[in-house]
Amino acid sequence: MSKNTVSDRFRKVDVDEYDENKFVDEEDGGENQLGPDEGEVDSLIRQYPFKHVAWNLMGALQAVLKNPPINTKNQNVKDRAEGLVLKVLSSFKSGDIEKAVQSLDKNGVDLLMKYIYKGFEKPSENSSAVLLQWHEKALCAGGVGSIVRVLTARKTV
């Protein structure tokens, strides 16, 4: 038989501390996040039709995904960033979408997917068709894992 069956040391461990479903609201200084720079993105979009160079739009896509308002609780900042992303995505021609998605890294594709799903929540005129084209290319680049990461993420855009 065991010698020490009446020990109560195991009862001093707080098992709730290790529960992965325990929600803790993280404060990461989100009030300082202003989202993407609207002036920079607009200037890149306006240059596109005159120069006929798709890299300006790819630069606009990089700029709009550069500073996402993930940690902020200010809904106006998030809505402004979403509108700006949708404006950039709508500016692309169908043939340039795949090259633009391929230029993003894994985190960029995941962030793009977050904005795509956010756009699906509030569709506007012709936005669903554009977002479906982007979703198809982002799915090819990021795989199903990208969708799972976006749908299970606690921090949204």
Side-chain angles (χ1 to χ4, degrees):
M1 296 206 71
S2 81
K3 294 181 180 180
N4 194 0
T5 57
V6 288
S7 173
D8 63 346
R9 285 190 322 186
F10 70 93
R11 293 184 183 160
K12 294 179 182 165
V13 175
D14 183 14
V15 294
D16 290 332
E17 179 182 336
Y18 302 107
D19 186 14
E20 66 185 33
N21 293 325
K22 182 179 175 184
F23 179 72
V24 176
D25 193 16
E26 299 173 359
E27 295 294 326
D28 287 357
E31 55 274 348
N32 296 336
Q33 288 185 330
L34 301 175
D37 183 13
E38 193 168 353
E40 176 186 3
V41 173
D42 281 340
S43 69
L44 288 169
I45 290 174
R46 275 187 261 128
Q47 290 174 7
Y48 175 67
F50 301 113
K51 295 194 177 191
H52 300 291
V53 180
W55 64 267
N56 284 336
L57 281 180
M58 289 190 199
L61 180 64
Q62 296 285 341
V64 83
L65 295 178
K66 187 173 22 177
N67 187 16
I70 291 179
N71 295 327
T72 186
K73 291 185 168 113
N74 188 347
Q75 192 59 40
N76 292 332
V77 172
K78 289 186 176 199
D79 290 341
R80 186 180 59 80
E82 177 192 353
L84 198 56
V85 170
L86 189 58
K87 182 178 177 181
V88 170
L89 297 183
S90 300
S91 300
F92 274 86
K93 293 180 182 174
S94 297
D96 296 334
I97 294 175
E98 187 171 2
K99 286 185 274 185
V101 171
Q102 294 298 328
S103 71
L104 300 173
D105 61 345
K106 184 178 105 170
N107 293 333
V109 172
D110 288 350
L111 183 59
L112 176 64
M113 274 292 206
K114 283 184 180 185
Y115 279 115
I116 290 171
Y117 281 108
K118 186 75 169 176
F120 283 144
E121 288 178 11
K122 296 181 238 172
S124 61
E125 185 178 327
N126 198 28
S127 69
S128 295
V130 171
L131 290 173
L132 281 172
Q133 289 178 339
W134 279 93
H135 186 273
E136 176 188 5
K137 303 304 182 189
L139 177 62
C140 289
V144 179
S146 178
I147 295 174
V148 172
R149 286 188 294 274
V150 167
L151 294 178
T152 59
R154 288 188 177 172
K155 295 181 179 180
T156 60
V157 290

